[in-house]
Amino acid sequence: MPSNTPRDSLRQRKPSQKRSPSSESRGASRAAGKSSASTATDKSISMPFALFFLVTLLLSITIPTFRQYNTYPSTVDQCNLASAFPASNMFCESEKVRGHVEFMSEKVGNRMIGSPELRQVHDYLLKVIRDTMKRSSENGDQKKLPLNGHVKVSLQEQFATGSFFLDKFIGKDLMNMYDNITNIVVRVDPISEDSGSKRALRRSPEELFEEMPPIYTNKWINHTEENRNAILINAHYDSAIGSPGATDDAVPVAVMLALLESLVTTPTKIKSPIILLFNGGEELGMHAAHGFISQHEWSKDVQTIINLESCGGGEGRPMLFQAGPGHGYVVESIEKTNPYPQASVIAQDLIKFLPADTDYRVFTKHLNYHAAGVDLAYTRNGYVYHTSRDALDQIRPGAIQHMGETVFNLVYDLTENHLAADKIGSLKKKHEPLFVDVLGLRLVVWQHAHQANAILGYLILLCVVYSARWVLPSILQKNNSALFHGALFFHLVGVFVSFVTGFVAALLTAFAMIHAEHTMTWYTQNWIGFALYGSLFVGIFLIINSVANSMVRSTVKPLAEATGRGVYELAEEAQFWALEIFLGIVTVALYFLGLRTSVVSFLFMVLLPVPFVTSLVFPSVSLTLKAILGIAPLTAYQFYSTLLMSDAAWPFFARMGNLVNAEYACAAVCTCFTFFNLVPLLPYLQNVRKYHLISLLAFGVTGVAIAFAVHTPSAFNADRPRRFAVNHVRYVNSETGVIDKSYIAVGAVDSHPLKASLNVLYDTPQHITWQRLSRVDELRDFSSAYPLNNFVTGAKISLANETETGRVSPVRFDVRVIKDDLTDVGSFTWQRSIKVKINTNTAQQGFFTMLKITSPFLKAWSLDGDIRRDEEDNDSIFVRLVGEGQYEFSMHLQRVVLGETSESEIRNQMRVSMNMDSTLSKRDDDLELLHALFVDKGVHVSELVMQQYNTQWVL
């Protein structure tokens, strides 16, 4: 019998000992926990390395982008090519082109509607056009170029009289009336080659050029959608008050003259008519554009519109900032032909909220939006826009080349291809084009009709992927996958709360800066805007998100232990899904608001998952590579977009006066652009230990920006001057010319505090003294600028001789009632219809006139019987009168009359008050003195430098 020793006993029990399942699970869990912790530790990054990596990566992206943004074409190279191939359709920024700009902006200068200077430029353009056709052209090498014989050119002067509503311009409705506004219209038609190409080349200049008699138009014509195939190219040759208008709009006019010369001298055959509209009245309300598109017979043929404008100062590339609303084939042509495009759908949305508009709106609206086209404009250096500094010396070499090449390439491509049936299609509004400028290298275009399907399809795809990855496993396998939903929720709430909090904090900071009177320091030092508001947003955003990150890591820790994945890895994926949902909400909201900016947020939605998908397909890919894939494309695009929009938006924001304080606009835009710059970085900041310390760095940058803003002596400098509107108000008896009262009203176009800006006048000469410095609430003294006067802040300067009477040249205002009907329409209601004819000589003296018509019973008004508009909530209308001075319009009044009342008493009860302000663009001695004083103090006087007349009638 064997002995039973302890060792034997242990040996016998060993085979039968088994670990319980629960103990094995605990062991596996501990191992997984260690693995998870190890993974988390391995994937986290130290703060110094993270900052070094991000700064290096961002600089490697932004520096080349900035260089690309500031690239100009070589005018020397292009002109050498054009000289070597004189028969080509290449544009050259030649001395001849710059000579046209010099004549209009330097030799003539300011050329407002009704001025002799505008007529001088009008005659100059006619001479250049005639010379182009009646002799062979000469280029820089003095080589003769014959007329190509394949086109016929028709020239006609148009003198248009008419009226139209400019609705919702800066939130106001304005009735525009114009009389004998001038246009120079050139039509280039292709000639049929039935008689043979050799015969075409032998045609004389007299056969190829027809100067038609001037036409005086005052009736609208009917437009149809049939047989329209002409390309309209438009630029205006008038300028804003007080500005020589070199870039706005002499440069586009010079480019159009060069295009005409190219069309008639190069052998390129065009397939469709081209209409060049040299527009004589844009700045005071787009009158000349309306006169052409509503009344000229050639406008019936217009299908494609190319409008050339400027809100900048002769720098950079012309930006495509409006397109559509018809088919997008014009934008597609720019995509194909422009080697350095610049475009922004954000600008197309932004212009709806800014105090600006162009002829493009008049063209497309009158054609009932059944037209295709583009609006191109210089946008950089807008600080000189509508000022005396918009001069030839502000135009950088290569800037005109940019505009010329863009227009030449576009026009010649359209003449070849835009008549194809597959390009025209149906010109309905649903075919609006959307476009994205990729770093100035390429234009990406697609139709707005596809946008909804793309957004819906992508959102469905996200739902399917998320369900397959997290929803179905939690339901079918009943594991801890449901914890991921909680992590996603924390991240989503963190993004929403941090965005709203950062945005509100930026606005509150702007409020504090306004009340401390330290505003618009970003106007001369652009970096302050992003350093102040953008850095503040970053600091707040990251602090709140760091709290959300801590909650997310605690939530996903059990899931990490169960799946063997790292806590940081799961938190990063939750952040990704939260950002996708947030961007999806933003995209859908922007789309239903009708804003094309939705395409930008949609672009971020599509590109953000690139590194996430890469890690799924290639699990071994490094964090650095994932970061580069995730950060580089979006950061490069967003940095470029920030450059593009800040260059264009900063000057516009400053010009908003009292409409919206520029400081609020700057804070809002800076935070939104900063958020989109931050979006690509957020998922990778999960891997940075103590990344909330970046918040402290951001707050430090904000503090530095505030210090600079507080200690900056002035928000303006010589290159970016303060802008005032100055109006010499004289209440004048229009019949005798006797001055009853006189003073100077000063309005601030910029949002900077008026009192601080007018400190320059505290040491004024004795002739000009302050009577008071206060807000002119109704701004009656600037009503000639309606609706712009609604956002001008004002003050008054009294003159030493204010009590003295004087005499000026009388003006004539003849108001004649040619119809006054009173009708009983029943139910004690009477209607009064008044038709008025006004004859005035104001235009001959350089005036334009604003008429304010007031009656508590005013219900509607009409122009020439063509337009009628009800005014339910407004007892007054504003009418701007521009041109030679004969106008007719009707007013319709209605009121309830109780009891028996005579017709004469009813007319008296339904009376109409008419106030007319007529403004002269010439400075008098007082304004000359004040203008010199402002200039000496480094302040630019622009917009309204004029003498004001006032008279009143009761009808």
Side-chain angles (χ1 to χ4, degrees):
M1 183 176 210
S3 62
N4 193 4
T5 62
R7 183 183 297 271
D8 294 335
S9 175
L10 182 61
R11 187 180 294 118
Q12 290 174 4
R13 288 196 299 271
K14 234 175 188 179
S16 63
Q17 287 179 344
K18 295 183 180 178
R19 297 179 64 184
S20 64
S22 61
S23 64
E24 287 184 354
S25 176
R26 284 194 298 271
S29 179
R30 284 193 297 272
K34 291 179 181 179
S35 174
S36 175
S38 174
T39 303
T41 302
D42 290 341
K43 295 193 67 175
S44 64
I45 305 172
S46 66
M47 175 64 67
F49 176 78
L51 289 177
F52 174 78
F53 174 77
L54 287 177
V55 169
T56 303
L57 180 60
L58 292 178
L59 288 179
S60 66
I61 295 169
T62 56
I63 290 177
T65 302
F66 186 77
R67 290 177 63 86
Q68 168 66 17
Y69 179 67
N70 283 283
T71 300
Y72 286 79
S74 170
T75 58
V76 175
D77 293 343
Q78 195 70 12
C79 288
N80 287 339
L81 285 173
S83 177
F85 302 97
S88 66
N89 51 15
M90 300 173 65
F91 176 80
C92 166
E93 185 180 326
S94 63
E95 289 300 320
K96 178 187 287 187
V97 174
R98 293 186 72 90
H100 296 322
V101 179
E102 181 182 8
F103 178 85
M104 288 182 277
S105 62
E106 303 297 321
K107 295 181 180 179
V108 176
N110 180 244
R111 46 196 188 278
M112 199 188 82
I113 291 178
S115 67
E117 290 81 7
L118 184 69
R119 185 68 203 185
Q120 187 178 353
V121 171
H122 178 92
D123 294 340
Y124 172 80
L125 296 176
L126 287 175
K127 181 180 182 301
V128 172
I129 295 168
R130 289 165 181 155
D131 288 348
T132 298
M133 293 307 304
K134 292 185 177 180
R135 61 174 173 79
S136 297
S137 302
E138 295 182 1
N139 63 14
D141 292 335
Q142 306 296 317
K143 294 179 181 177
K144 299 288 185 179
L145 291 176
L147 301 176
N148 71 22
H150 296 293
V151 296
K152 179 181 179 181
V153 177
S154 303
L155 168 65
Q156 187 170 54
E157 294 177 81
Q158 181 195 18
F159 298 89
T161 297
S163 53
F164 66 102
F165 291 106
L166 192 61
D167 60 328
K168 303 307 177 187
F169 178 68
I170 318 179
K172 305 290 182 179
D173 289 343
L174 179 64
M175 181 160 68
N176 276 296
M177 303 190 73
Y178 52 93
D179 185 42
N180 280 341
I181 292 295
T182 58
N183 282 318
I184 299 174
V185 193
V186 180
R187 178 170 180 139
V188 183
D189 285 290
I191 295 178
S192 172
E193 297 186 9
D194 294 341
S195 57
S197 59
K198 292 184 178 180
R199 164 74 183 102
L201 292 175
R202 290 196 302 269
R203 291 188 178 102
S204 66
E206 290 73 19
E207 295 179 273
L208 301 175
F209 176 59
E210 177 186 9
E211 183 167 354
M212 306 173 71
I215 182 173
Y216 292 82
T217 61
N218 59 9
K219 296 297 182 182
W220 285 21
I221 60 175
N222 294 321
H223 291 83
T224 66
E225 294 186 41
E226 304 297 328
N227 301 319
R228 287 167 35 198
N229 63 349
I231 302 170
L232 172 65
I233 308 167
N234 172 73
H236 64 90
Y237 57 90
D238 66 319
S239 68
I241 301 171
S243 173
T247 311
D248 181 24
D249 206 29
V251 168
V253 169
V255 169
M256 286 173 56
L257 291 173
L259 176 63
L260 174 62
E261 183 174 338
S262 174
L263 288 170
V264 301
T265 57
T266 60
T268 302
K269 299 176 184 178
I270 62 174
K271 297 181 180 179
S272 56
I274 297 174
I275 299 173
L276 303 175
L277 175 59
F278 297 90
N279 169 331
E282 188 267 352
E283 295 292 358
L284 291 180
M286 293 88 79
H287 303 92
H290 184 270
F292 171 79
I293 202 68
S294 65
Q295 300 174 23
H296 201 286
E297 280 295 323
W298 291 346
S299 68
K300 291 181 178 180
D301 300 328
V302 172
Q303 174 169 313
T304 305
I305 301 165
I306 302 172
N307 188 54
L308 307 180
E309 257 292 356
S310 174
C311 58
E315 290 189 18
R317 312 170 184 180
M319 178 193 287
L320 166 59
F321 70 101
Q322 289 192 95
H327 199 285
Y329 62 84
V330 188
V331 185
E332 292 170 359
S333 179
I334 293 179
E335 174 193 14
K336 180 173 63 173
T337 62
N338 197 334
Y340 26 73
Q342 186 166 290
S344 175
V345 290
I346 301 175
Q348 185 153 353
D349 289 335
L350 198 59
I351 197 174
K352 300 175 183 177
F353 308 101
L354 294 175
D357 218 328
T358 72
D359 290 327
Y360 189 78
R361 174 188 179 185
V362 173
F363 292 141
T364 55
K365 182 179 179 181
H366 194 82
L367 294 177
N368 198 27
Y369 303 105
H370 293 165
V374 291
D375 207 351
L376 302 168
Y378 290 108
T379 57
R380 296 186 65 179
N381 193 25
Y383 308 97
V384 305
Y385 172 66
H386 280 189
T387 74
S388 59
R389 291 186 58 79
D390 183 12
L392 184 63
D393 61 0
Q394 293 290 320
I395 301 175
R396 288 184 55 175
I400 300 178
Q401 187 69 37
H402 267 311
M403 174 71 82
E405 288 188 35
T406 300
V407 173
F408 271 51
N409 293 343
L410 175 60
V411 170
Y412 278 110
D413 181 71
L414 287 175
T415 58
E416 280 292 317
N417 302 306
H418 96 292
L419 289 177
D422 61 331
K423 290 289 183 182
I424 297 298
S426 175
L427 296 179
K428 300 295 183 181
K429 196 171 182 178
K430 65 181 180 179
H431 290 287
E432 295 175 70
L434 295 172
F435 44 89
V436 174
D437 167 13
V438 183
L439 308 183
L441 299 172
R442 184 171 179 79
L443 200 62
V444 179
V445 184
W446 65 96
Q447 300 299 329
H448 187 262
H450 304 151
Q451 176 78 346
N453 295 334
I455 294 173
L456 180 61
Y458 188 75
L459 291 176
I460 292 174
L461 177 63
L462 287 179
C463 291
V464 170
V465 173
Y466 184 82
S467 299
R469 189 162 176 78
W470 293 109
V471 177
L472 292 179
S474 64
I475 295 174
L476 300 178
Q477 301 176 13
K478 297 182 179 181
N479 56 20
N480 292 332
S481 297
L483 295 174
F484 189 82
H485 309 327
L488 172 60
F489 174 77
F490 286 134
H491 263 317
L492 187 58
V493 171
V495 172
F496 269 101
V497 172
S498 56
F499 179 82
V500 173
T501 305
F503 191 85
V504 171
L507 294 181
L508 291 176
T509 304
F511 176 81
M513 298 296 289
I514 292 168
H515 285 268
E517 296 190 355
H518 293 295
T519 58
M520 285 183 55
T521 50
W522 41 262
Y523 189 66
T524 51
Q525 303 180 67
N526 293 159
W527 66 270
I528 289 182
F530 284 98
L532 177 56
Y533 301 113
S535 296
L536 177 66
F537 178 83
V538 169
I540 293 174
F541 194 93
L542 293 184
I543 281 181
I544 296 176
N545 269 273
S546 67
V547 176
N549 288 340
S550 300
M551 300 173 70
V552 167
R553 293 191 190 106
S554 300
T555 303
V556 300
K557 188 174 182 181
L559 180 61
E561 293 175 350
T563 61
R565 297 180 61 186
V567 172
Y568 282 75
E569 182 182 350
L570 291 171
E572 179 185 322
E573 185 175 343
Q575 179 81 79
F576 154 75
W577 284 107
L579 289 173
E580 284 288 275
I581 293 174
F582 182 82
L583 290 173
I585 294 172
V586 170
T587 301
V588 172
L590 291 174
Y591 178 82
F592 280 103
L593 288 172
L595 299 177
R596 293 168 177 79
T597 309
S598 60
V599 71
V600 177
S601 55
F602 181 66
L603 176 68
F604 272 71
M605 283 182 66
V606 173
L607 293 182
L608 191 63
V610 170
F612 173 66
V613 173
T614 303
S615 63
L616 290 179
V617 179
F618 306 101
S620 61
V621 70
S622 67
L623 178 65
T624 302
L625 181 58
K626 284 175 58 179
I628 292 174
L629 290 172
I631 295 172
L634 291 177
T635 300
Y637 172 77
Q638 189 58 23
F639 178 76
Y640 178 82
S641 298
T642 302
L643 284 174
L644 205 65
M645 292 310 302
S646 61
D647 260 346
W650 265 210
F652 261 114
F653 290 160
R655 225 171 26 246
M656 295 176 75
N658 198 44
L659 185 66
V660 175
N661 193 290
E663 205 67 23
Y664 292 127
C666 177
V669 170
C670 284
T671 51
C672 291
F673 272 91
T674 301
F675 170 74
F676 279 100
N677 276 299
L678 194 60
V679 162
L681 304 176
L682 278 178
Y684 312 104
L685 290 176
Q686 299 279 347
N687 302 292
V688 179
R689 293 193 297 272
K690 300 181 180 179
Y691 88 89
H692 58 274
L693 295 177
I694 300 177
S695 302
L696 300 180
L697 178 62
F699 289 137
V701 173
T702 301
V704 171
I706 292 175
F708 267 92
V710 170
H711 291 91
T712 298
S714 173
F716 308 94
N717 58 28
D719 293 327
R720 301 177 183 186
R722 181 75 161 96
R723 290 167 290 193
F724 280 141
V726 179
N727 196 359
H728 192 167
V729 182
R730 283 176 171 166
Y731 291 93
V732 181
N733 185 307
S734 60
E735 295 181 359
T736 64
V738 173
I739 301 172
D740 297 326
K741 185 172 65 172
S742 174
Y743 60 87
I744 291 177
V746 179
V749 180
D750 300 305
S751 289
H752 195 255
L754 183 66
K755 183 177 180 180
S757 296
L758 291 179
N759 285 339
V760 299
L761 296 179
Y762 283 166
D763 56 347
T764 58
Q766 291 184 355
H767 181 62
I768 299 179
T769 60
W770 283 105
Q771 179 189 29
R772 62 191 178 101
L773 177 64
S774 62
R775 171 78 179 278
V776 184
D777 292 326
E778 296 182 0
L779 293 168
R780 173 70 181 77
D781 310 315
F782 287 94
S783 59
S784 296
Y786 182 90
L788 299 177
N789 64 312
N790 286 277
F791 64 90
V792 172
T793 55
K796 290 185 178 179
I797 306 172
S798 66
L799 303 178
N801 62 347
E802 181 183 12
T803 58
E804 299 178 10
T805 59
R807 185 181 297 271
V808 295
S809 299
V811 294
R812 186 183 74 250
F813 295 119
D814 296 332
V815 179
R816 185 162 58 95
V817 177
I818 57 178
K819 180 181 179 183
D820 189 351
D821 293 337
L822 191 64
T823 307
D824 183 357
V825 296
S827 301
F828 305 102
T829 302
W830 289 79
Q831 288 183 353
R832 184 185 183 193
S833 298
I834 307 173
K835 188 170 184 179
V836 176
K837 184 173 183 178
I838 295 177
N839 195 318
T840 175
N841 67 340
T842 55
Q844 286 83 352
Q845 301 191 34
F847 287 82
F848 67 94
T849 301
M850 181 64 68
L851 183 66
K852 183 179 181 181
I853 305 172
T854 305
S855 172
F857 310 109
L858 185 66
K859 301 299 292 183
W861 29 287
S862 58
L863 310 172
D864 301 329
D866 292 318
I867 306 176
R868 183 182 176 93
R869 184 177 182 84
D870 293 329
E871 289 290 335
E872 297 290 348
D873 304 319
N874 200 344
D875 63 356
S876 63
I877 58 176
F878 283 88
V879 186
R880 179 179 291 157
L881 310 176
V882 175
E884 294 194 355
Q886 296 191 29
Y887 314 94
E888 289 186 12
F889 57 92
S890 300
M891 296 165 285
H892 311 279
L893 301 89
Q894 179 176 299
R895 73 159 301 182
V896 175
V897 180
L898 299 177
E900 294 185 5
T901 309
S902 65
E903 289 191 6
S904 60
E905 187 174 345
I906 294 174
R907 279 192 170 89
N908 184 57
Q909 292 179 9
M910 300 173 69
R911 62 185 178 272
V912 178
S913 175
M914 295 174 57
N915 290 81
M916 181 175 284
D917 299 323
S918 189
T919 51
L920 174 67
S921 62
K922 301 298 184 184
R923 302 189 193 111
D924 55 17
D925 293 339
D926 290 323
L927 285 179
E928 286 288 356
L929 179 61
L930 185 63
H931 179 81
L933 176 65
F934 275 119
V935 172
D936 289 342
K937 298 291 185 179
V939 178
H940 174 77
V941 182
S942 66
E943 303 292 347
L944 302 174
V945 185
M946 52 188 72
Q947 174 176 297
Q948 183 165 306
Y949 287 69
N950 173 259
T951 189
Q952 181 177 8
W953 301 266
V954 176
L955 304 178

